[in-house]
Amino acid sequence: EQSNAMAEEYGTIEDQGGYWEGTERRQNDSLRGESVVVRGSILRQSVVEVAESHGAELQAMRKRFPDAGAHDLIRFLRARDFDVAKSAAMFEANQEWRRANLPIPLESVRSTLETRKFYVLEHTDSVGRPVLYYNFSRFKDAPYVVEDEIRALVYTLEEVLGPMMGPSFETQQQTVLIDVSGIKSPPLQFLQEMNAVVEANYPERLFRTVMFPVPYWLQKIIQGCTTFVAEETRNKFAYVNDVGALEEFAMMAADNMGPDIADMVKSKQLKK
């Protein structure tokens, strides 16, 4: 009866996505510096399933924020380990931030977006997740204002990437591709500000970040630096140096990744 009531309120497991069967995904085995293909099914946890395991917490959030969507509330609950008080405080702060900062007019960020430091790919990955592409070398091409870049990024997340997201948890996440070719140091101030905004206001949106081209010796250094990072977090990052690995971790064909990737392959910055 309880399951039927939850299904009536939130939709059936099939409505919310159910399972993807026979899916291949490639996970980074940092101990060997290699990639391992894992075959099997990827669980797409539905609203119904979360309601069954954390029904009291979800109901408490729904009572406090009756106009919020179930998926959004669950993302904030997950971000705070289903602690209702902490999740509610985080969600409330997010709503205040949204009222203060959104919407962002396109004209106010158009010139920043035209620099193409980051943009959303035309194609989604094989599951239907949108893909956000960063080109770090363009941050060093000309001076920039961090606040302007953050506003442009938030516009991208809200107005470009957001409408591409589907109805399930899987398709409401995003894959991030980071091109680090030709750089000696990343845009640290931008990354710090970006991390603060994304963690506070877009929790549980990241499926995986794929960084490239990263040579094997550097992968080993990164592996050593992340030994004590939680496995779940480590599995959200992949470092690759060739087209095949990029395609498998990104779960999409290189031909669908746009002209930047095509140029890297042509110039042999990214190995075939």
Side-chain angles (χ1 to χ4, degrees):
E1 292 181 3
Q2 184 180 10
S3 296
N4 290 337
M6 290 176 180
E8 184 176 345
E9 180 174 3
Y10 301 117
T12 65
I13 290 177
E14 287 74 17
D15 292 335
Q16 299 298 337
Y19 298 83
W20 285 87
E21 295 293 343
T23 304
E24 282 194 0
R25 62 189 173 97
R26 186 165 173 146
Q27 293 183 327
N28 189 41
D29 183 345
S30 57
L31 293 177
R32 296 201 308 269
E34 299 172 348
S35 298
V36 178
V37 176
V38 179
R39 291 176 174 83
S41 41
I42 295 179
L43 174 65
R44 301 175 68 195
Q45 195 174 26
S46 68
V47 173
V48 176
E49 291 169 308
V50 173
E52 288 175 342
S53 58
H54 295 281
E57 293 91 338
L58 180 55
Q59 288 294 345
M61 290 287 284
R62 289 293 294 267
K63 287 180 180 179
R64 184 157 181 176
F65 306 102
D67 296 329
H71 282 88
D72 287 335
L73 295 179
I74 290 170
R75 288 192 299 105
F76 281 82
L77 281 166
R78 283 175 166 172
R80 291 296 179 263
D81 296 324
F82 289 91
D83 183 306
V84 173
K86 292 179 180 179
S87 301
M90 184 183 185
F91 189 79
E92 201 164 71
N94 166 260
Q95 296 304 293
E96 292 177 4
W97 175 83
R98 296 183 70 84
R99 286 191 290 269
N101 293 281
L102 301 178
I104 295 175
L106 172 58
E107 288 305 315
S108 70
V109 296
R110 186 186 297 276
S111 61
T112 304
L113 293 172
E114 288 175 349
T115 65
R116 302 277 285 178
K117 297 182 184 73
F118 45 81
Y119 55 90
V120 178
L121 299 188
E122 179 182 352
H123 298 276
T124 63
D125 71 9
S126 61
V127 173
R129 285 179 290 257
V131 181
L132 182 60
Y133 191 105
Y134 289 87
N135 189 319
F136 277 3
S137 67
R138 291 184 181 140
F139 282 88
K140 66 181 178 63
D141 289 344
Y144 62 91
V145 178
V146 171
E147 289 75 13
D148 292 345
E149 300 295 335
I150 295 300
R151 277 177 54 81
L153 176 62
V154 170
Y155 175 89
T156 300
L157 295 176
E158 291 287 329
E159 305 297 337
V160 184
L161 189 145
M164 294 176 68
M165 290 183 169
S168 69
F169 282 127
E170 283 282 325
T171 56
Q172 288 191 8
Q173 291 184 310
Q174 67 195 37
T175 295
V176 174
L177 305 182
I178 302 180
D179 174 1
V180 297
S181 60
I183 69 164
K184 294 182 179 179
S185 62
L188 291 178
Q189 190 176 358
F190 167 76
L191 291 175
Q192 289 169 350
E193 293 293 327
M194 177 200 72
N195 186 63
V197 169
V198 170
E199 279 197 356
N201 300 291
Y202 301 94
E204 300 296 315
R205 286 292 194 193
L206 178 65
F207 170 67
R208 177 180 294 147
T209 293
V210 186
M211 191 176 295
F212 60 92
V214 181
Y216 176 70
W217 64 266
L218 184 52
Q219 293 181 34
K220 295 297 289 183
I221 292 175
I222 294 171
Q223 180 268 322
C225 293
T226 58
T227 301
F228 300 104
V229 175
E231 182 180 2
E232 182 180 355
T233 301
R234 288 203 310 271
N235 288 339
K236 288 188 176 184
F237 293 86
Y239 310 92
V240 303
N241 198 34
D242 63 84
V243 174
L246 175 60
E247 288 182 325
E248 291 191 53
F249 276 112
M251 297 177 67
M252 64 188 305
D255 290 344
N256 291 334
M257 295 183 193
D260 282 342
I261 291 294
D263 289 345
M264 290 183 70
V265 175
K266 186 176 180 180
S267 64
K268 298 182 179 180
Q269 289 178 293
L270 195 62
K271 300 176 182 178
K272 286 189 176 180

